Amino acid sequence: MKTKKITAVALAGCLVLFFFATVNPAAQAAAKNKTVKDMIVKSTDDSKETIKAVKDGDTYTIDASSATMKKESKGSKSMKFSDLKDGDVINVKGSFDDRDVTATEVRDLSTTKSASFYGVVESISSATQTVKIVSTKRGKITVAISKSTKIKYDGKKRKFADIRDDDKVLVTGNWSSSKKTITKTKKFYILVKDDYSKLD
């Protein structure tokens, strides 16, 4: 009898804890608050300050009306929402309800010297170890590949020879807006899922 009573009490306690975690708003908010990196801006609405962005093949709707807009992956350099461009790579911090996001902070990684961009491979030069990509708002960008560049396809290591025309890529390196080049390239990620027709 004692064993049955103890089991019943333990089960009741578990049910109470489950119920509390399910209905408690604070517990729910804590579970949803996070930062998602390397999201790609698909479109923006300046009047509502909302962003459509893609990550791993999913499209997110981001309410940035109350968010702090910043440049770079860290630091305090601020920016205006209107400075955000289609194809920019962003880190988003906030409350995620599936694919609906209420952002508290948006960082644009495409607005600084050490920048990240999304684009489509237009041409490849083995002689100069460079790749020319087409971005949405910044036109054609020449990306220099070195031995230290991490080339990945769907998260797995690849070589320069594995890069193909029309690959959708995310690149990170030293950005020159005047020369339209990326040098000292750290990342050259070939994306399998993040592809939207606007960049085809």
Side-chain angles (χ1 to χ4, degrees), residues 8-181:
V9 170
L11 181 60
C14 289
L15 289 172
V16 169
L17 288 173
F18 176 77
F19 177 79
F20 177 81
T22 302
V23 300
N24 187 297
Q28 286 186 322
K32 295 176 183 177
N33 288 340
K34 60 182 179 179
T35 299
V36 175
K37 297 182 178 181
D38 295 339
M39 302 181 82
I40 302 162
V41 176
K42 186 173 182 179
S43 63
T44 60
D45 185 332
D46 287 353
S47 62
K48 297 180 180 179
E49 294 194 345
T50 57
I51 306 164
K52 293 283 187 181
V54 295
K55 173 72 177 183
D56 294 332
D58 295 322
T59 299
Y60 293 80
T61 301
I62 303 163
D63 178 358
S65 58
S66 299
T68 302
M69 303 293 297
K70 293 183 178 181
K71 299 179 180 180
E72 306 180 356
S73 59
K74 57 184 178 180
S76 57
K77 291 183 179 179
S78 61
M79 61 178 285
K80 298 177 182 178
F81 183 90
S82 57
D83 293 332
L84 202 62
K85 290 179 170 45
D86 296 357
D88 279 4
V89 181
I90 58 175
N91 291 348
V92 178
K93 181 180 180 181
S95 177
F96 284 71
D97 184 2
D98 193 17
R99 296 183 184 88
D100 292 322
V101 186
T102 302
T104 56
E105 180 181 272
V106 176
R107 288 185 173 272
D108 191 342
L109 311 185
S110 303
T111 55
T112 61
K113 183 178 179 181
S114 179
S116 295
F117 292 101
Y118 174 85
V120 181
V121 174
E122 182 186 66
S123 61
I124 305 160
S125 174
S126 299
T128 59
Q129 290 285 291
T130 58
V131 178
K132 186 168 287 186
I133 67 172
V134 181
S135 63
T136 309
K137 293 292 185 178
R138 292 179 174 82
K140 297 178 182 180
I141 300 172
T142 300
V143 184
I145 307 296
S146 66
K147 291 181 179 179
S148 61
T149 302
K150 293 181 180 178
I151 302 174
K152 291 186 178 181
Y153 175 89
D154 198 22
K156 298 177 182 178
K157 289 183 180 181
R158 289 293 187 268
K159 298 178 181 179
F160 182 87
D162 296 318
I163 302 171
R164 297 286 183 269
D165 289 347
D166 297 326
D167 277 346
K168 277 68 180 178
V169 298
L170 188 151
V171 300
T172 300
N174 286 4
W175 163 240
S176 171
S177 57
S178 59
K179 296 180 180 179
K180 296 287 185 179
T181 59

